[in-house]
Amino acid sequence: MDLPLARATRLSLPLAAAAAPLRSLKLSACGGARIAQPRCRSVADLSASAVAAETRRADEAPAPSVPAEEEQFDWLDQWYPFAPVCDLDPGAPHGKTVLGLNVVAWYDRAGGGEWRVFDDACPHRLAPLSEGRIDDKGRLQCVYHGWCFDGAGACKFIPQAPVHENSKACVASYPCVVQNNILWFYPRAEPEHKDVLQRKRPPLIPEIDDPGFVNLYGIRDLPYGYDILVENLFDPAHVPYAHKGILRRIRMEDPGRYLTTIKEGGGPMKMKTEEANVEGFVSAQERGYFQFVAPSTLVCSPPQETPWVLLVFFCVPVAPGKSRLIWAFPRNVGDRLHNISPRWLYHVIQNLILDSDIFLLNVEERKFAAAGLDNWQNACYVPTSSDSLVITFRNWFRKFCKNQVGWATPQVDQLPPIPTKDQLMERYWSHVVQCTSCSAALKAMKALEVALQIASVAVIGSVAIAKGTLVISTVQRAAAVSTAVLCFAASRWLANFIQKNFYFQDYIHAYK
């Protein structure tokens, strides 16, 4: 169910008066105003403006002090994106881990046609409901013993028992809402949080719902933690180097020197945090702004000019050493190309971009863990102005979160075992199975690969039979053999394309 636009806000994260106003993002929480004009308040302990002026080592300067009674970020009093609705099949349940919680989303057609989010555990024997099905009455059915649940989480049928109504047979149901065509849920199932939407809503991006814009969604699980993901997205200076050879328009001897939004080497990159508090921060730069609405939403926007292209990222903490990225790229240009191009084709490039720094970030996270995040400023040398957003986020994470994600369930305080490179960069489980467009494309391509192989064998077989029974010319025989060879070659090319774009493709920076 699409809900009205969020208007209430407790937080204003304005841009500088000279910068483009943030017309797109409305925050949701208690209060009652849109994003306000800039307020004069100090954020000295979060701003990294001093970095642009001098390049001394971070360990030569005292770390910002943390007030003893500083407000702490409440990880459980937040909305978290589950997945774009376009990637959720209403005919089946979908399981994911968010903030350490194992949850399942399913479409309740019997209860008004709305999405529901439950604990992913049947109360009978804790079997995963995400492995279940939607029964013929529209209920969520556990396939272990057939228990069935309605949209409120109440058990409506136990095949092995005459009595079904019992509070112990209920499944925890979380508040959820579809907004911007993304399913969000609130990770508190207690009765007092049932009406949380009246108090607080997810961040709203009006451009995504604007009929004058086209939009592109995507989702990918990543083998590094939440803070590493956010930090990487706030680091524009790495783009021409870590993703070299992917973004074809960056073809220069020193792309970082001339990239539109990066001037390192040619001059300081002007970026300033205009306002920051426990709810996030806004940083203006020469050609747009970055906004972070804690804990999940990052918005990168150019100045208010046409064409308008917005980069929206939703960063989901999954578990220690694991995160999920959901993205939406609304724009008011290129609608014709968007309408004729399949979504999976865009995902081929976007997955390659993510792959090209996965190994770097996985190694970086383990080195951070060894040094200790409390020692981040001493372990890292960050003298350039393009590091300012990374420093701002790290200071926010330290000040308001004590360098820790507030998991909803107990978590082992250590990173998972070091994976191999093909495990790090695999695409099938991390993306393809979660994306309806890529899943459908993979199925079609596999069918075409088999058809090409069958056609190749059939043509050769026909020539062999015809040779003994019919008189065929040399030209006809050559044409048939050529067709068979082409079909076989096409099947081999397609198999390689499938492997690289839907399963695994290595990225070796030295050869880019």
Side-chain angles (χ1 to χ4, degrees):
M1 179 177 68
D2 292 330
L3 297 176
L5 301 182
R7 298 183 305 164
T9 178
R10 174 174 55 192
L11 168 68
S12 67
L13 296 175
L15 297 174
L22 181 58
R23 74 180 182 89
S24 66
L25 190 58
K26 304 174 185 177
L27 305 180
S28 86
C30 301
R34 286 182 59 115
I35 291 176
Q37 292 300 313
R39 296 179 293 175
C40 297
R41 68 182 283 186
S42 171
V43 289
D45 57 346
L46 283 177
S47 175
S49 58
V51 176
E54 55 184 341
T55 60
R56 64 182 181 179
R57 285 186 56 85
D59 57 0
E60 296 175 5
S65 60
V66 181
E69 306 229 350
E70 188 65 56
E71 181 181 6
Q72 292 298 297
F73 185 74
D74 187 351
W75 290 87
L76 294 181
D77 188 27
Q78 311 296 332
W79 287 90
Y80 292 89
F82 185 91
V85 173
C86 61
D87 288 323
L88 296 175
D89 179 3
H94 304 267
K96 293 188 188 300
T97 301
V98 178
L99 204 66
L101 285 172
N102 294 320
V103 292
V104 56
W106 65 286
Y107 189 71
D108 180 19
R109 68 174 186 268
E114 296 184 1
W115 286 96
R116 311 291 185 185
V117 177
F118 288 178
D119 259 344
D120 192 11
C122 178
H124 177 213
R125 299 268 289 281
L126 306 184
L129 292 172
S130 56
E131 293 297 318
R133 65 173 67 93
I134 310 301
D135 73 358
D136 55 1
K137 295 184 179 180
R139 303 171 300 192
L140 178 61
Q141 182 185 77
C142 175
V143 294
Y144 194 18
H145 293 92
W147 288 31
C148 296
F149 305 91
D150 67 8
C155 184
K156 291 301 182 181
F157 180 60
I158 301 176
Q160 301 82 12
V163 178
H164 315 308
E165 302 291 339
N166 190 301
S167 60
K168 291 184 178 181
C170 294
V171 179
S173 177
Y174 297 98
C176 60
V177 63
V178 172
Q179 183 168 283
N180 287 146
N181 297 313
I182 294 174
L183 176 62
W184 297 74
F185 86 101
Y186 185 84
R188 301 291 296 272
E190 297 85 354
E192 60 266 29
H193 300 289
K194 180 179 179 181
D195 297 324
V196 65
L197 273 171
Q198 304 301 318
R199 174 179 66 86
K200 181 172 189 154
R201 300 179 66 90
L204 178 70
I205 315 296
E207 281 83 354
I208 293 179
D209 297 330
D210 191 327
F213 284 69
V214 294
N215 187 41
L216 180 68
Y217 289 105
I219 184 170
R220 175 91 181 257
D221 284 0
L222 299 167
Y224 46 81
Y226 160 85
D227 58 309
I228 300 295
L229 171 59
V230 177
E231 175 188 288
N232 187 53
L233 293 173
F234 273 143
D235 178 22
H238 82 281
V239 172
Y241 302 101
H243 307 315
K244 186 178 180 181
I246 303 173
L247 305 177
R248 298 299 179 184
R249 288 182 293 180
I250 305 175
R251 292 181 180 175
M252 45 193 76
E253 183 177 355
D254 184 6
R257 186 181 182 95
Y258 303 102
L259 187 64
T260 303
T261 58
I262 302 171
K263 290 188 176 180
E264 291 302 315
M269 181 179 178
K270 296 180 181 179
M271 188 176 293
K272 182 180 180 182
T273 300
E274 299 296 338
E275 182 178 346
N277 58 33
V278 70
E279 298 289 350
F281 53 82
V282 173
S283 290
Q285 58 172 319
E286 291 175 287
R287 296 189 59 80
Y289 59 84
F290 287 89
Q291 176 153 357
F292 171 56
V293 184
S296 297
T297 306
L298 282 71
V299 179
C300 175
S301 176
Q304 280 193 329
E305 302 170 353
T306 54
W308 179 272
V309 181
L310 209 63
L311 305 181
V312 184
F313 301 102
F314 302 102
C315 304
V316 183
V318 174
K322 297 181 181 180
S323 60
R324 181 174 302 115
L325 178 63
I326 299 172
W327 64 86
F329 298 156
R331 64 185 189 275
N332 60 4
V333 292
D335 54 330
R336 292 183 179 179
L337 180 63
H338 175 86
N339 292 332
I340 63 175
S341 301
R343 190 162 64 108
W344 67 264
L345 194 57
Y346 291 102
H347 289 176
V348 166
I349 300 299
Q350 289 157 356
N351 278 317
L352 187 58
I353 292 173
L354 291 171
D355 281 345
S356 60
D357 56 19
I358 276 182
F359 182 75
L360 305 175
L361 297 174
N362 186 265
V363 173
E364 175 184 296
E365 179 174 35
R366 294 172 190 281
K367 291 184 177 180
F368 283 174
L373 285 180
D374 293 335
N375 195 41
W376 183 87
Q377 286 186 316
N378 292 331
C380 298
Y381 179 49
V382 283
T384 66
S385 56
S386 60
D387 292 317
S388 60
L389 271 178
V390 173
I391 297 172
T392 300
F393 169 71
R394 280 297 172 189
N395 285 338
W396 178 89
F397 196 50
R398 170 193 55 79
K399 181 178 180 180
F400 297 114
C401 305
K402 297 181 179 179
N403 289 322
Q404 295 180 345
V405 173
W407 304 109
T409 59
Q411 298 291 312
V412 177
D413 189 20
Q414 63 183 28
L415 296 176
I418 299 176
T420 60
K421 204 169 184 182
D422 56 337
Q423 291 172 330
L424 276 175
M425 300 168 66
E426 71 83 22
R427 294 186 185 179
Y428 182 76
W429 294 107
S430 64
H431 170 73
V432 174
V433 295
Q434 301 186 70
C435 174
T436 54
S437 178
C438 289
S439 295
L442 176 60
K443 183 178 180 180
M445 289 182 192
K446 282 186 171 181
L448 179 58
E449 179 190 356
V450 172
L452 288 170
Q453 293 174 354
I454 293 175
S456 176
V457 173
V459 170
I460 293 296
S462 299
V463 170
I465 294 174
K467 185 177 181 181
T469 59
L470 299 173
V471 177
I472 60 174
S473 68
T474 301
V475 173
Q476 290 174 323
R477 186 180 298 110
V481 172
S482 298
T483 300
V485 170
L486 287 174
C487 286
F488 181 77
S491 73
R492 293 299 84 211
W493 179 89
L494 188 57
N496 183 60
F497 181 87
I498 289 172
Q499 174 64 23
K500 290 199 304 182
N501 293 289
F502 296 98
Y503 290 96
F504 169 74
Q505 179 176 183
D506 198 0
Y507 186 95
I508 303 175
H509 291 269
Y511 299 135
K512 300 298 180 180

